[in-house]
Amino acid sequence: MDNICIPMHLDAFALSPESCKGESKIAPYTQPNYTALRLDSHLIQHDVLDHVTFHYSEPVDINPRLADLGSSPVKLKQNRMGIHLHWSLPRFYRSSKASASSTAPQGSGQDPSNPVFQRIPNRWLVTRHLNLNTAQPPNILKEYQSWIIESDVVRKITEIPDDVDLESDVTPFVSYSGDAGDLNALKNQTEIFLGQRFDLPGWKEDTSRNHMKLTVMNSSNPLFPDYALHNTNVLSMIDNFAYPDPKPKNPNNISYLTYAQASYYVIGWHSDVADDPLTMNLQQPLSERLSGLFLQLPDTPVSDGKAEDTGTAKDSTRCLSYGAVYNVKYDHGKKPLSLADEAAKKFTADTKMEPLSVGTTALDAILTFLEAHKKNTDSFFGEDTTSVANDLLSIATLLYATADEYDARVQAQDLIAQQNFAKANGGTQWSFNGRAQAGGAPPTPSAAESAAIRTLNEAQSKLDLTLRQLSSIRWELFAEWWKYVSEYIKDGDVRARQQYYATKIGPLKDKIDKLVVLRDAQNDARDKSKASVTCKQSNNAPYYIRTDPTISVAGLDSGWPEDFTDRLTVSFDKQMSDDLHAADTILGASNPLPTGFDGHGLQDTVKRILAACLKHSDTNNMSMTTGFQAWGDRNPFIPLFIEWESIYYHVDFSKWNVDVRPSPVGHPSKQVRYGINVDLSQDTSSREDARVLSGRVLVLPQPVFNLEAIVLQVLDNAPPDMKLTPEQILDVKNNIRKMKFISAPLSGLTNHLLTRCEGAHVKPSVRSQGQTLVPLKAASDGLKLALIDPNTIELMEGETALTPYGNLLDFGKEGYPGIPFKGVTHGQMFFTKLNIIDKFGQAVCLPPPKPRLRHETGPPTSDIYPCLSDYLAPDVFNGKQNTVYPSGPPPNPEEWPLCQYMQLSPSINQDARINAAFLVRDPQNNDGFSAWREASDYEQPIFGWIIINYADYGLQFFLPDGSFYREIRMGGVHGVDISAKWIPFDPPKGGTPGQINMQLDNLINLFAAADDPNNTANVDYLQSFFDMINGAIQEMPYPPSEYSGFANAIVGKPLALVNVGWSIELSQPAIKPQNTYGNQPANPQAELENYKFPLKIGDNKRVFDGVVGYYVTQNSSDANPTDWSKLFTYFAPKVALDKFQPIAPATFPRVSPYWLDPLQTPDVTAATAARYLITTMLVDPYTAVHAYSPILPTKALQLPAWSVQTAFDKMSAFFRLGPSLLATDVPPTLELAAAADVAIRLPISGRKGLWNWLQPYAQPGPDAPPRFASLPVEEDMGKVHWAPAPYTFVEGYLQLAQRLAKKDVQV
């Protein structure tokens, strides 16, 4: 079978002494410091990668990358100048796969769930095609010169010749030998280097060289695959145009061209056939194997049209990656046009607002920039982009919403706010899985099945809690190990410090042991309960944590090929070229490349690729695509990572308050937001708690690609009333890719506030690909602490990603009197440094690097003014932006706010969630009640229904199942008339039903207080209750069409009475401070639980919310726990009453976060219910209720459809009627009425059987209520005249006997 040729992107950068001039900077070499992997307090670091320093980047003679600073006078390092090449590996080499379905034998050390990365090509042919007419000096170098790069060569420093440049000729690397018991495994890492380049003539494979199996994840350096300064002669190369020059002035007998123009071709393959991905999974046809690698076959078949080339063949074949870049120019005395300089110029003082935005997500940051710069978009993206930007802004909320109405857009703003949070697994729950009838209530389990489900969920809840706490405690154990090995301990303090750490490590190990026992017990209990009942599994609501802000820079290519996320089209080698001789002048007669290698003919494939490279030498393709491209007479700027630094000011929580605030940037909808209630610029105390934060983030390709995908999806599925014309839609589609952005989250911000560090660091255990974790003997032996042994290391498992601060920073109590640890963020922050660095070390530096003053003489500033998103912009206070130091001009409604400071409103810095559940309680034998508990899936959560009967101007109350209970009407002697229970129906047979809730009776009693003989207060209360419901119904969405078929639809809209519990739950115990120096909170758990966060329940401005009003109920087993004295509602009554309280910030309920310790909580289910703040609510049964919080995503809760439908099916619609004059009398007694087949005639439309007349009959006894007989009604629309006397006046109830349909009424 023909070999497969995979295109890849090849970049070229011309570096000369003149490159240090200009707006952009050239980064010195900053190599990974693998010395920091040693367990030596003087050497160990939280991150082996230091930030790049640019203070010595210019002029050229002080830049250590280009100048030998040790020479006098300073000499330039000519060997580092020339053309720097870097090739981007195709996506499948960067993606992992896990064989989670397979199992590993016990004790084998294999872990099938561990991600496995594809080994990358380890042989690279690099060919330079020199334009001989351009070379200066001329006639020295050949037209073609080729090298072989062995990417996987591993050498110790003692094996490397002295003339090898350890920064630019080899790559520092981490090489694990596979022996976890090697005590020198960590010490040896500073002496390992990777990669070696050979001239092609004379090269051959040599098994005596030490090689390693190489993947993109072998290194502990995340920049390794793409940062040319960190992968020289592995995935990049420097062509310095060196040539032998024996002149005396050259002590090394080497000189370099001063000017040249050349093209470069790079081809890579696997030296070991077993590493080639197309030699694996041969049970799959070729097309499927390629698809699994994000590749696809070409549409055009090869010339001979063999069936094997259609992708159906299952034979083994080989893959080769290739790339080419043409007409690259190098001029030692002149700097080429630089895209980095062009990018840097956009950040000069002439720019009023930087092409920089900060949002909660990449999409938020991008849309923020477009909105802030909608008048001058062309200056950043080029011509014809302003219209595209405005078109995008016009559909911005459609990127989240599915309709273009106001309510959908408001809902979209809420959805946008929810994108500010990252999700974490919320655990599992189980429910009964019996069969249910269509439209009916869920199947009800038996008592034994109910008990099994409760036991199952209890075991699962405790298991989830245990697993989350285990993760937390394992990391704390690692943190203590780290702090011990990184702390400098004086000889005289050794014993004391060992005892200190023993008191920390011992209890942690004990707790892990207890949690493991509990985990196993709950696993067994869960499995046992699961086997005893038919059940199904589902996910609990996730936990959330607010994401770190995302920074976005406009006008820059992402640096990734435009087709990086596409499925790349590959070629069969015969499609590349038929010419096998064009490459002979390149490879030479003694071609050392593999030929007939394992029957796959790599040499011929290389020849065909080289011939294709020569053929495309006239290409003018300058786009960021894979394959062949022109250099374009300019150095590219390919941003790879961003290093940032900021100052964070912690603003005391007492200075924040919650309100329904307008957007600080002018968006139309208001939201529940935190704001600062004092003038910060006049409050110097807010400046005292300041911390310097920093981080490094990779620039990934997804943000811009996601923007394009989302926009195209919206345009292709646009709502009918979308305001864009077909021409505008076409304009957006054609120009969306002109909107160039790079985006990256400010990762590390929250972790710094938690006194934790992100970075590549030493870990006490090691994992080979596909294997389990193994403790390093060097991580425990020699530490002189008995409690740290290999078993201790094993207890940490994989919870070692973050390091504790330990002694990283000296938070001296005099210099820093506050507490560095921030369990809850609430403050403001501004950038002091922002360096955008590309793959070749070019950088845009904000502000320009300069030495810092030892003592600042004024307010700190960096003059970086990003466009701040709606959620990060400071509040406006007294007509100015409310910031720690004055910043920016006063807000102008016509312009985007200009401000250095971003506002980080309060948020919990660990995973948490708002819990919401319908609650019920069970009556006890002693007339008391059980504690509140969550209603199960098969329990009715509604304890009553209220319907406004407009015909009678009254309220009708129904039981949960739809049975009528009682009616209250306006009117009567005292203004309020309360009917007896059940009237006009008979009481239920068998006595009072158990479903009658005391809360329902207590609510009804509010309208007829015994101590008010005139009932005047109750008249007002009932009228206000009417007004509240009427106001709410006007704001609610229309009920679904099926509601019109229910009988009660002709009377009024039913509202449900429910008890809802709200709480804020932490996923793990409160995070603990990890700073060795400085102050610490006395009890982090208690301090976090002392925070009280407001919840706004419902919203009258959002029609998708169903809250009418609520009372507050105590979470206790008291008989009457509800406070009926205050009804909180958005719908103010016409008559002002103290009993009606507006839902406003002052009345928002406050909730404190909590966490349950599985070791201390016998009944997790009951303990969870005991933490609820309970509201007794009147709600729209068809619409979800919501809790709005500024610290967590909105929480919605919806009544199950069956609970509404089953009640409505039984619910009867009736109203009082009379007195009515009848031509015929009704039966004189109840008994005769029950036996007689008599219908009464009424002037009401409807066929016979549609209506019933409920006729009252007095019963013996002074207090006996009447009973009602149900008589059929016939339609009498005046067709019968002058019926014989006597006539009879009757008064009773007219009842709709069945669902109302069109056929029932004559129009």
Side-chain angles (χ1 to χ4, degrees):
M1 180 187 293
D2 289 345
N3 292 326
I4 298 297
C5 303
I6 304 171
M8 66 180 182
H9 189 70
L10 177 62
D11 292 298
F13 166 67
L15 179 64
S16 69
E18 297 299 306
S19 298
C20 290
K21 299 177 181 180
E23 302 291 339
S24 62
K25 309 300 177 186
I26 298 297
Y29 276 96
T30 305
Q31 298 284 20
N33 179 17
Y34 291 125
T35 304
L37 298 178
R38 295 186 180 186
L39 301 184
D40 186 321
S41 60
H42 295 286
L43 301 175
I44 192 170
Q45 291 180 192
H46 296 74
D47 190 353
V48 300
L49 295 175
D50 295 322
H51 275 214
V52 181
T53 177
F54 290 93
H55 292 108
Y56 304 102
S57 59
E58 61 176 331
V60 65
D61 55 4
I62 68 169
N63 189 324
R65 179 174 175 181
L66 292 91
D68 183 359
L69 303 184
S71 62
S72 181
V74 173
K75 297 179 181 179
L76 297 183
K77 299 178 179 178
Q78 300 291 348
N79 65 302
R80 297 185 177 184
M81 301 181 196
I83 303 301
H84 292 234
L85 299 173
H86 176 269
W87 43 96
S88 296
L89 290 169
R91 183 157 62 119
F92 67 89
Y93 287 116
R94 304 167 182 268
S95 305
S96 65
K97 293 184 178 180
S99 180
S101 59
S102 61
T103 57
Q106 185 72 23
S108 66
Q110 298 178 8
D111 182 4
S113 64
N114 181 31
V116 174
F117 286 82
Q118 176 65 47
R119 293 192 176 103
I120 66 175
N122 58 349
R123 297 293 179 269
W124 299 94
L125 171 67
V126 181
T127 296
R128 177 185 67 210
H129 182 188
L130 180 65
N131 185 336
L132 297 180
N133 295 326
T134 64
Q136 295 295 329
N139 306 321
I140 294 179
L141 292 180
K142 297 178 180 179
E143 182 179 7
Y144 296 99
Q145 185 169 349
S146 298
W147 302 268
I148 288 290
I149 290 178
E150 294 191 12
S151 294
D152 57 348
V153 169
V154 179
R155 291 181 288 176
K156 294 183 179 180
I157 193 170
T158 55
E159 302 169 351
I160 299 177
D162 293 339
D163 61 348
V164 172
D165 189 329
L166 294 181
E167 288 186 318
S168 64
D169 288 341
V170 290
T171 297
F173 207 70
V174 176
S175 177
Y176 172 54
S177 65
D179 182 8
D182 183 3
L183 290 174
N184 293 316
L186 298 176
K187 293 181 180 180
N188 291 340
Q189 299 311 317
T190 56
E191 303 174 353
I192 303 298
F193 293 86
L194 188 68
Q196 189 171 1
R197 183 175 68 181
F198 303 87
D199 289 330
L200 177 63
W203 171 83
K204 63 179 180 179
E205 291 284 355
D206 187 348
T207 57
S208 66
R209 288 193 285 269
N210 187 23
H211 298 90
M212 69 177 300
K213 298 295 186 181
L214 187 61
T215 73
V216 294
M217 296 301 292
N218 279 122
S219 172
S220 59
N221 175 9
L223 303 178
F224 163 69
D226 299 294
Y227 193 36
L229 280 66
H230 287 184
N231 59 27
T232 308
N233 289 332
V234 177
L235 295 171
S236 65
M237 191 194 87
I238 300 175
D239 179 15
N240 52 27
F241 300 101
Y243 61 89
D245 186 2
K247 295 179 181 179
K249 65 179 182 180
N250 293 317
N252 296 324
N253 297 324
I254 297 293
S255 289
Y256 306 87
L257 296 188
T258 58
Y259 187 89
Q261 180 174 324
S263 300
Y264 294 90
Y265 321 132
V266 177
I267 304 171
W269 66 91
H270 299 270
S271 65
D272 187 345
V273 65
D275 294 338
D276 194 307
L278 294 184
T279 64
M280 306 172 189
N281 302 317
L282 297 182
Q283 72 278 10
Q284 298 176 348
L286 176 62
S287 59
E288 291 185 16
R289 280 179 278 160
L290 291 173
S291 178
L293 300 173
F294 313 111
L295 305 173
Q296 63 184 3
L297 290 170
D299 295 330
T300 305
V302 294
S303 56
D304 57 13
K306 291 181 180 179
E308 64 185 24
D309 294 329
T310 63
T312 59
K314 298 182 179 181
D315 299 336
S316 174
T317 188
R318 300 295 302 277
C319 68
L320 295 87
S321 302
Y322 70 92
V325 59
Y326 299 96
N327 301 321
V328 184
K329 295 179 182 178
Y330 170 70
D331 189 339
H332 186 271
K334 182 181 178 181
K335 181 178 182 177
L337 177 67
S338 169
L339 296 185
D341 284 349
E342 291 185 6
K345 289 176 183 177
K346 297 176 181 178
F347 292 88
T348 60
D350 295 334
T351 304
K352 184 177 180 181
M353 186 185 297
E354 276 82 15
L356 176 71
S357 60
V358 185
T360 55
T361 64
L363 183 59
D364 184 37
I366 291 172
L367 294 177
T368 294
F369 178 86
L370 294 179
E371 190 167 359
H373 290 274
K374 55 187 175 184
K375 296 180 180 179
N376 63 336
T377 310
D378 285 357
S379 62
F380 296 100
F381 304 115
E383 296 182 1
D384 302 325
T385 55
T386 296
S387 60
V388 176
N390 291 330
D391 291 341
L392 287 178
L393 291 173
S394 70
I395 62 169
T397 51
L398 285 177
L399 303 181
Y400 297 89
T402 56
D404 196 23
E405 298 103 14
Y406 170 78
D407 296 324
R409 288 174 178 262
V410 172
Q411 192 169 17
Q413 288 295 328
D414 294 339
L415 292 174
I416 292 172
Q418 298 200 37
Q419 304 300 315
N420 305 346
F421 299 86
K423 295 181 181 179
N425 190 322
T428 301
Q429 63 180 355
W430 300 87
S431 56
F432 185 62
N433 197 27
R435 292 187 176 181
Q437 294 182 354
T444 302
S446 65
E449 289 170 328
S450 296
I453 291 290
R454 284 195 298 270
T455 302
L456 174 57
N457 277 318
E458 171 66 19
Q460 184 67 59
S461 297
K462 188 167 288 188
L463 176 62
D464 292 338
L465 276 173
T466 302
L467 293 175
R468 290 194 292 267
Q469 190 180 9
L470 260 175
S471 173
S472 173
I473 300 299
R474 291 187 196 280
W475 184 86
E476 288 184 27
L477 181 61
F478 163 72
E480 295 303 324
W481 173 86
W482 176 274
K483 287 186 283 188
Y484 177 72
V485 299
S486 62
E487 180 179 345
Y488 171 68
I489 303 176
K490 297 179 181 178
D491 292 340
D493 298 336
V494 171
R495 183 177 295 275
R497 296 306 292 168
Q498 287 179 343
Q499 291 176 348
Y500 168 81
Y501 281 105
T503 63
K504 294 284 187 179
I505 293 173
L508 291 174
K509 293 175 65 176
D510 293 341
K511 181 164 282 190
I512 289 175
D513 290 339
K514 292 178 181 178
L515 288 169
V516 168
V517 171
L518 180 60
R519 177 198 65 190
D520 295 342
Q522 297 308 313
N523 259 322
D524 292 342
R526 179 196 60 182
D527 293 344
K528 182 178 179 181
S529 298
K530 191 166 58 173
S532 65
V533 64
T534 303
C535 56
K536 60 182 178 181
Q537 179 180 354
S538 59
N539 293 328
N540 277 326
Y543 293 97
Y544 295 91
I545 185 172
R546 190 169 68 186
T547 56
D548 292 327
T550 294
I551 187 170
S552 181
V553 185
L556 298 184
D557 269 312
S558 71
W560 296 83
E562 292 179 2
D563 49 6
F564 180 79
T565 58
D566 298 341
R567 195 172 294 277
L568 278 181
T569 300
V570 300
S571 303
F572 293 107
D573 59 3
K574 291 181 179 177
Q575 291 177 304
M576 298 297 295
S577 176
D578 292 329
D579 189 348
L580 293 176
H581 301 290
D584 288 345
T585 55
I586 299 176
L587 300 175
S590 58
N591 187 346
L593 298 183
T595 176
F597 191 70
D598 293 312
H600 291 291
L602 291 186
Q603 189 177 98
D604 285 350
T605 303
V606 170
K607 289 181 178 180
R608 293 178 187 275
I609 294 175
L610 286 174
C613 291
L614 293 170
K615 179 181 177 182
H616 289 82
S617 60
D618 59 348
T619 182
N620 57 3
N621 174 31
M622 294 171 55
S623 64
M624 289 289 293
T625 56
T626 53
F628 310 108
Q629 69 172 45
W631 189 62
D633 288 331
R634 81 281 187 273
N635 266 334
F637 183 57
I638 308 167
L640 178 63
F641 61 99
I642 298 173
E643 293 182 340
W644 61 273
E645 188 179 273
S646 67
I647 296 179
Y648 168 82
Y649 294 92
H650 196 63
V651 179
D652 191 81
F653 191 64
S654 63
K655 298 173 184 176
W656 299 78
N657 66 344
V658 167
D659 205 342
V660 182
R661 284 183 161 85
S663 163
V665 298
H667 289 167
S669 61
K670 296 182 178 181
Q671 289 182 319
V672 181
R673 298 173 183 263
Y674 268 109
I676 299 174
N677 53 24
V678 298
D679 188 344
L680 288 182
S681 64
Q682 302 300 316
D683 179 21
T684 58
S685 64
S686 297
R687 306 169 187 171
E688 295 174 355
D689 193 351
R691 287 197 50 197
V692 176
L693 313 178
S694 63
R696 178 191 301 108
V697 288
L698 297 179
V699 175
L700 299 178
Q702 283 80 7
V704 175
F705 296 149
N706 286 350
L707 173 66
E708 180 182 4
I710 294 172
V711 169
L712 294 180
Q713 181 180 5
V714 168
L715 295 179
D716 292 339
N717 301 277
D721 54 350
M722 190 174 73
K723 298 178 176 58
L724 293 185
T725 65
E727 292 76 15
Q728 289 173 317
I729 291 176
L730 183 62
D731 185 35
V732 171
K733 290 183 175 181
N734 291 339
N735 293 289
I736 182 66
R737 288 207 171 186
K738 292 182 180 179
M739 316 298 284
K740 303 293 186 181
F741 287 94
I742 62 170
S743 297
L746 297 176
S747 300
L749 191 157
T750 299
N751 280 320
H752 272 298
L753 296 178
L754 294 172
T755 59
R756 301 179 174 196
C757 288
E758 297 180 1
H761 56 271
V762 63
K763 299 180 181 181
S765 53
V766 65
R767 186 201 301 269
S768 297
Q769 202 166 233
Q771 303 295 308
T772 57
L773 278 168
V774 179
L776 286 171
K777 192 174 181 63
S780 57
D781 285 27
L783 296 186
K784 299 179 182 179
L785 188 60
L787 281 175
I788 298 181
D789 56 18
N791 292 331
T792 305
I793 304 299
E794 285 185 352
L795 291 178
M796 301 174 192
E797 292 193 350
E799 304 297 333
T800 57
L802 301 174
T803 55
Y805 259 31
N807 56 3
L808 174 67
L809 295 175
D810 183 11
F811 295 103
K813 296 183 179 180
E814 294 182 1
Y816 188 88
I819 297 175
F821 174 83
K822 313 297 181 189
V824 178
T825 296
H826 35 87
Q828 292 185 344
M829 183 182 86
F830 77 98
F831 289 116
T832 56
K833 181 183 80 174
L834 199 66
N835 294 337
I836 306 167
I837 305 170
D838 94 325
K839 64 165 59 179
F840 294 111
Q842 300 176 99
V844 174
C845 298
L846 301 176
K850 62 181 179 179
R852 290 182 179 174
L853 297 176
R854 181 171 298 179
H855 301 288
E856 295 288 350
T857 57
T861 182
S862 62
D863 290 328
I864 300 176
Y865 290 86
C867 315
L868 297 176
S869 126
D870 185 17
Y871 304 99
L872 297 173
D875 301 314
V876 176
F877 190 88
N878 293 334
K880 63 180 181 179
Q881 295 179 102
N882 196 8
T883 54
V884 175
Y885 288 96
S887 175
N892 181 350
E894 301 299 322
E895 296 180 355
W896 200 263
L898 191 65
C899 185
Q900 291 188 73
Y901 290 83
M902 65 186 78
Q903 184 159 297
L904 304 177
S905 59
S907 67
I908 301 174
N909 287 335
Q910 64 183 90
D911 292 333
R913 67 183 175 195
I914 297 176
N915 289 327
F918 295 110
L919 302 181
V920 297
R921 56 181 186 163
D922 304 313
Q924 305 293 309
N925 294 331
N926 57 358
D927 295 331
F929 291 89
S930 68
W932 292 96
R933 62 178 178 82
E934 295 183 8
S936 63
D937 294 340
Y938 43 85
E939 288 182 294
Q940 173 63 273
I942 300 167
F943 71 82
W945 294 91
I946 296 179
I947 297 179
I948 286 188
N949 187 336
Y950 290 100
D952 291 338
Y953 205 28
L955 295 179
Q956 294 180 341
F957 294 84
F958 292 79
L959 298 183
D961 68 348
S963 301
F964 175 75
Y965 182 50
R966 210 164 181 185
E967 183 178 33
I968 301 176
R969 293 193 305 160
M970 294 289 291
V973 178
H974 299 295
V976 175
D977 182 20
I978 301 181
S979 72
K981 295 179 180 180
W982 318 114
I983 297 298
F985 303 101
D986 288 341
K989 296 180 180 180
T992 302
Q995 64 172 312
I996 296 179
N997 192 293
M998 184 177 291
Q999 284 182 294
L1000 186 59
D1001 279 334
N1002 290 336
L1003 175 60
I1004 294 172
N1005 292 338
L1006 293 177
F1007 304 102
D1011 57 354
D1012 184 2
N1014 295 321
N1015 279 328
T1016 54
N1018 303 86
V1019 172
D1020 292 341
Y1021 193 80
L1022 181 58
Q1023 181 63 59
S1024 298
F1025 209 86
F1026 263 89
D1027 295 341
M1028 176 190 71
I1029 293 178
N1030 282 327
I1033 290 177
Q1034 292 176 16
E1035 298 291 341
M1036 289 177 182
Y1038 295 112
S1041 57
E1042 61 265 21
Y1043 170 69
S1044 61
F1046 291 109
N1048 52 355
I1050 69 168
V1051 179
K1053 186 175 184 178
L1055 300 174
L1057 290 163
V1058 293
N1059 292 294
V1060 178
W1062 312 93
S1063 66
I1064 297 178
E1065 180 190 4
L1066 304 173
S1067 70
Q1068 293 178 332
I1071 292 176
K1072 298 175 182 177
Q1074 298 297 332
N1075 52 299
T1076 299
Y1077 302 128
N1079 297 316
Q1080 292 189 357
N1083 187 334
Q1085 186 72 42
E1087 291 200 10
L1088 182 53
E1089 293 187 1
N1090 283 338
Y1091 276 89
K1092 295 186 181 299
F1093 299 106
L1095 288 181
K1096 179 177 182 287
I1097 300 175
D1099 194 324
N1100 62 319
K1101 299 301 182 183
R1102 287 163 166 78
V1103 299
F1104 48 84
D1105 182 82
V1107 174
V1108 177
Y1110 63 85
Y1111 302 91
V1112 175
T1113 296
Q1114 295 298 315
N1115 196 333
S1116 70
S1117 58
D1118 294 345
N1120 187 13
T1122 304
D1123 180 6
W1124 300 106
S1125 65
K1126 293 181 180 179
L1127 173 56
F1128 298 92
T1129 181
Y1130 293 100
F1131 309 99
K1134 295 179 180 179
V1135 180
L1137 293 177
D1138 291 339
K1139 292 183 178 180
F1140 287 83
Q1141 296 289 322
I1143 299 178
T1147 61
F1148 289 165
R1150 263 64 177 171
V1151 182
S1152 295
Y1154 76 92
W1155 170 75
L1156 298 177
D1157 186 344
L1159 293 171
Q1160 304 295 326
T1161 309
D1163 189 336
V1164 171
T1165 306
T1168 299
R1171 293 284 188 160
Y1172 281 122
L1173 178 146
I1174 303 176
T1175 53
T1176 298
M1177 308 184 72
L1178 184 63
V1179 302
D1180 178 359
Y1182 285 114
T1183 311
V1185 298
H1186 299 82
Y1188 298 91
S1189 166
I1191 65 163
L1192 285 167
T1194 301
K1195 180 66 177 181
L1197 185 66
Q1198 176 93 49
L1199 282 167
W1202 68 265
S1203 66
V1204 178
Q1205 182 172 340
T1206 53
F1208 284 8
D1209 283 338
K1210 187 174 183 179
M1211 202 171 285
S1212 176
F1214 62 93
F1215 47 86
R1216 295 196 182 198
L1217 190 66
S1220 296
L1221 185 64
L1222 303 182
T1224 57
D1225 196 2
V1226 296
T1229 66
L1230 180 67
E1231 292 74 18
L1232 291 175
D1237 184 16
V1238 179
I1240 67 171
R1241 300 177 64 84
L1242 291 173
I1244 186 169
S1245 176
R1247 59 181 174 81
K1248 185 176 182 181
L1250 179 63
W1251 296 96
N1252 287 334
W1253 174 258
L1254 305 181
Q1255 176 64 38
Y1257 289 93
Q1259 299 299 301
D1263 298 322
R1267 294 184 63 192
F1268 288 75
S1270 178
L1271 303 175
V1273 174
E1274 291 183 356
E1275 181 182 288
D1276 182 1
M1277 303 303 291
K1279 295 181 180 179
V1280 178
H1281 299 283
W1282 310 113
Y1287 298 150
T1288 304
F1289 277 107
V1290 295
E1291 191 170 7
Y1293 290 88
L1294 186 64
Q1295 178 193 31
L1296 185 64
Q1298 54 187 275
R1299 289 194 178 198
L1300 192 62
K1302 290 183 179 179
K1303 64 180 181 180
D1304 299 320
V1305 182
Q1306 295 179 3
V1307 180

